[in-house]
Amino acid sequence: MWKEFKSFAMKGNVLDLAVAVVIGAAFGKIVTSLVADIIMPLIGLISGGIDLKELHVGSGEAAVNYGLFLQAVVDFFIISFSIFLVVKLTNRFRRKETVKVEVVEAPAPAPEVVLLTEIRDLLRADKQYESGN
């Protein structure tokens, strides 16, 4: 059982996935900081100091905090757009794999086939000549 687990854990796909999760978590922190510390304060300045997190309906403990939902929606769009830009950038710099097409020439026909083809062509030419007279 240990050998099976070891072979599973050491497969390339599992290691790639683990690295992607760690990098994704770090990237998520960066984008969250971008949204919380830079973009949302700018939106607050533009909108007259409104903080989306503070928006709610109701009073006390029975409040519906729709501002937190709006903040999550804004975060989602900014994070998804950031990931789109990163993927687009990496695809741009990724080396384009060239497709090599090998041209394989057909082997030369056997001498008998060449001779028979010439005889056929001569007979056709002769037949056309006779029908023309």
Side-chain angles (χ1 to χ4, degrees), residues 52-73:
L52 290 181
K53 294 179 185 177
E54 303 283 329
L55 300 177
H56 64 277
V57 174
S59 62
E61 304 238 353
V64 174
N65 296 319
Y66 68 91
L68 292 174
F69 173 75
L70 292 176
Q71 179 70 41
V73 170

Side-chain angles (χ1 to χ4, degrees), residues 8-24:
F8 169 76
M10 293 302 164
K11 284 185 180 177
N13 294 342
V14 174
L15 293 175
D16 291 344
L17 181 60
V19 170
V21 168
V22 171
I23 290 175

Side-chain angles (χ1 to χ4, degrees), residues 44-119:
L45 284 174
I46 293 171
S47 65
I50 296 175
D51 184 11
L52 290 181
K53 294 179 185 177
E54 303 283 329
L55 300 177
H56 64 277
V57 174
S59 62
E61 304 238 353
V64 174
N65 296 319
Y66 68 91
L68 292 174
F69 173 75
L70 292 176
Q71 179 70 41
V73 170
V74 170
D75 289 350
F76 169 77
F77 283 118
I78 292 172
I79 289 170
S80 60
F81 184 70
S82 300
I83 291 172
F84 168 76
L85 290 178
V86 168
V87 169
K88 188 171 181 174
L89 184 68
T90 56
N91 285 340
R92 181 181 229 178
F93 289 113
R94 182 179 290 170
R95 269 194 274 165
K96 295 182 180 178
E97 296 179 19
T98 57
V99 178
K100 294 182 180 179
V101 178
E102 293 183 25
V103 178
V104 178
E105 294 183 24
E112 298 86 19
V113 175
V114 173
L115 183 60
L116 289 172
T117 305
E118 290 176 0
I119 292 170

